[in-house]
Amino acid sequence: FPGVFEAAATVVGSAVAGAEGILAGHWPHAFVPIAGLHHAQRDRASGFCVFNDSGVVIETLKAVHGLERMAYVDIDAHHGDGVYNAFEADPAVWIADIHQDGRTLFPGTGHADDQGRGEAVGTKLNIPVSPGSDDRTFHHVWPRVEAQVEAAAPEFILMQCGADSLAGDPLANLA
């Protein structure tokens, strides 16, 4: 649609500015409500995502700011396949992703046995949950996310919250 490039670029710029503001000590956290476009791949748009703001933030933290260890936590109903694919073999980026089972929802990825590749095996945690899962399920699996983040001992934590795991969202089946 007209303006999609500018809108997507603004999201990426806002996410990067938020992360850089944290690193500069301007604030302890940043909230970018439109961010979390985690399906875009390095070489193409995917889903509703033109650019992958989370991936760009991670690359910026590594290349520009020299961070060596980061955690990415994703609780969107859909698996963050663009982030996972970009950093699947990168042991510096630890991922914990709770999402509706990919066998029942786009993008069809994020299986529990997807744990990274090469030196990064074990630094990726995918927790697919069944359609209809609710707060009890979330609270049951959340300690695994906390353990993953603690094991990462990250210099920076990036969280993609996505609102589509809330009850009634037309794009998913979680509650």
Side-chain angles (χ1 to χ4, degrees), residues 37-115:
L37 305 175
H38 60 174
H39 297 302
Q41 305 294 315
R42 287 187 184 269
D43 62 346
R44 69 187 183 286
S46 179
F48 299 126
C49 309
V50 175
F51 303 123
N52 189 322
D53 59 296
S54 297
V56 173
V57 167
I58 292 168
E59 289 292 359
T60 300
L61 293 174
K62 290 173 61 177
V64 176
H65 299 284
L67 271 63
E68 297 179 359
R69 211 158 166 93
M70 284 152 282
Y72 171 77
V73 177
D74 190 326
I75 61 170
D76 188 280
H78 301 85
H79 177 245
D81 60 321
V83 177
Y84 182 87
N85 293 340
F87 301 102
E88 179 182 22
D90 187 340
V93 180
W94 288 60
I95 294 175
D97 192 320
I98 303 171
H99 51 274
Q100 186 173 321
D101 191 325
R103 293 173 293 188
T104 62
L105 192 68
F106 175 86
T109 58
H111 307 289
D113 58 351
D114 295 335
Q115 299 176 8

Side-chain angles (χ1 to χ4, degrees), residues 14-40:
S14 298
V16 170
E20 290 184 330
I22 292 168
L23 289 178
H26 297 307
W27 45 75
H29 335 286
F31 174 62
V32 183
I34 191 63
L37 305 175
H38 60 174
H39 297 302

